[in-house]
Amino acid sequence: MIIGVPKEIMHGEARVAASPEAVAKYVADGFTVLVEKNAGEGANYHDEDYQKAGAELIANPKEIYAKSDVIIKVKEPLFNEALNVHEIEMMHKGQYLITFIHPASPVNHKMVQMMAKQGVIGLTLDGVPRISRAQNLDALTSMSTCAGYKGILMAASDLATFMPQMFTAVGVINPAKVLVLGVGVAGLQALATAKRLGAITYAADIRPAAAEQATSLGAKLVDTTVPSELAIAEGGYAKHLPEEWLKKEREALRETIKEMDIVFCSALVPGKIAPILITEDMVKEMKRGSVIVDISIDQGGNCEITPPGEREVKHGVVLEGIKNIPGLLPQSSTWMFSQNMYNLVKYLVKDGQINLDMNDEICKKILVTRDGEIVHEGTLEAMKLA
């Protein structure tokens, strides 16, 4: 089986889907690995390292897409401006694509439809269930760790004030206030990082257990008013709330958000569009110079006006909608991602071929397109709403 590793083409994306260490593992397992030249340069992984690991270096990505049985990527397929062709158009029927597809997000619906039409079998990494036997496959958790850490550093850089309390010869400067919405892996890392930087931290999550974890890191809880029986889905994930309860949650958060210097948004529902927790009217009420870092933007964003993939100032508030925050830590995030990807491929491959067992929760949750059809439940639901 041939595994193709093209260079990522998203603007500012320095990660790559396989480190030389991971390539050596694939080769030892009997796979042929094609790596696009300079694919790992941004993450400090060099062509000579890939060659030593046993990879075949390819200059033209079209050749990689044409020859490979499986394409592994970090980010969803995009239009390649240098070649004037979409990455999906370079793929062929029956070819597997493993990457972060974020298929439920409205901005990706057209791309998912293209995948189905092309006959590509799409497997999305954001669908890996958070169960014990899938922990070492879970790239989303790894990247969430990176995003939580780096996202707070970005917010601190955007602020026009100090993060910690400062005692100076001319007086005391109060510490920044940071609210984290959604206390999953990224949210906990964001709280810990903000605390290390000296901020006063607040947290909100509709799941009582997640909220309790936030208090263990010293955060003050903001009551969302959502009953626990409505909040918790299978596996301990947050549940998709009816609009009436989302309105109540927004109102519960409104007064706290007005006082914040930084709001870190990481509230997600697996396979669904991210819930809108901050409306444009709420942004207008925020302090001028405050910052929203919306790492849920891949699934639509928690803030109504977060610019996808961009940083903008709206109503005096800095809105960070950068979609590849882990890519700003390219070496560490590539190493973590590569291990997750290798473990997933090894899990799926039986007798030299990918075997998708639809009775297996992992296979069922990651499958997006197959036999020319979109089969991902959350995507189909989101498309109907759109």
Side-chain angles (χ1 to χ4, degrees), residues 276-324:
I276 297 294
L277 302 180
I278 305 175
T279 63
E280 184 167 7
D281 283 343
M282 292 167 72
V283 175
K284 289 177 181 177
E285 294 174 348
M286 291 177 69
K287 295 191 288 188
R288 298 298 175 262
S290 55
V291 182
I292 293 175
V293 177
D294 196 344
I295 71 161
S296 65
I297 192 62
D298 276 323
Q299 287 176 231
N302 292 145
C303 175
E304 185 178 34
I305 60 170
T306 303
E310 303 292 338
R311 175 192 182 277
E312 291 182 14
V313 178
K314 296 181 180 180
H315 310 301
V317 176
V318 179
L319 292 162
E320 291 277 9
I322 303 303
K323 297 182 77 174
N324 59 335

Side-chain angles (χ1 to χ4, degrees), residues 1 10 27 43 80 100 111 131-132 164 166 170 196 204 210 284 289 331 350 372:
M1 198 167 85
M10 177 177 278
V27 172
N80 189 317
F100 281 116
M111 178 264 293
I131 55 178
S132 57
M166 299 294 286
V170 291
R196 291 186 201 111
K284 289 177 181 177
Q331 189 166 340
K350 305 288 187 295

Side-chain angles (χ1 to χ4, degrees), residues 126-144:
D126 51 294
V128 173
R130 282 181 175 164
I131 55 178
S132 57
R133 64 189 178 91
Q135 284 183 341
N136 69 346
L137 321 174
D138 191 358
L140 186 60
T141 289
S142 295
M143 297 305 99
S144 293

Side-chain angles (χ1 to χ4, degrees), residues 57-222:
L57 293 176
I58 305 290
N60 190 338
K62 285 185 177 180
E63 186 178 344
I64 292 177
Y65 282 99
K67 289 182 175 180
S68 301
D69 301 299
V70 181
I71 294 291
I72 60 174
K73 280 176 49 59
V74 178
K75 298 301 290 184
E76 68 269 23
L78 299 167
F79 185 81
N80 189 317
E81 294 180 359
L83 299 175
N84 197 36
V85 64
H86 200 285
E87 287 181 305
I88 291 174
E89 292 177 301
M90 292 189 276
M91 299 189 71
H92 53 264
K93 184 177 180 180
Q95 191 172 38
Y96 288 88
L97 170 67
I98 310 176
T99 185
F100 281 116
I101 299 172
H102 300 290
S105 178
V107 296
N108 291 330
H109 288 177
K110 185 177 178 181
M111 178 264 293
V112 172
Q113 289 165 343
M114 287 177 64
M115 284 172 51
K117 186 178 179 181
Q118 199 77 354
V120 173
I121 303 165
L123 306 175
T124 188
L125 296 172
D126 51 294
V128 173
R130 282 181 175 164
I131 55 178
S132 57
R133 64 189 178 91
Q135 284 183 341
N136 69 346
L137 321 174
D138 191 358
L140 186 60
T141 289
S142 295
M143 297 305 99
S144 293
T145 299
C146 299
Y149 169 78
K150 190 67 174 180
I152 289 295
L153 296 185
M154 289 164 54
S157 180
D158 286 332
L159 280 182
T161 61
F162 290 111
M163 281 280 275
Q165 187 172 40
M166 299 294 286
F167 297 93
T168 77
V170 291
V172 176
I173 299 174
N174 291 326
K177 293 180 178 180
V178 177
L179 170 64
V180 172
L181 300 177
V183 194
V185 175
L188 288 170
Q189 187 60 237
L191 284 173
T193 304
K195 195 75 174 176
R196 291 186 201 111
L197 292 174
I200 298 173
T201 55
Y202 299 76
D205 197 298
I206 62 176
R207 301 164 297 166
E212 187 179 331
Q213 286 183 304
T215 61
S216 71
L217 292 173
K220 300 176 183 180
L221 284 185
V222 182

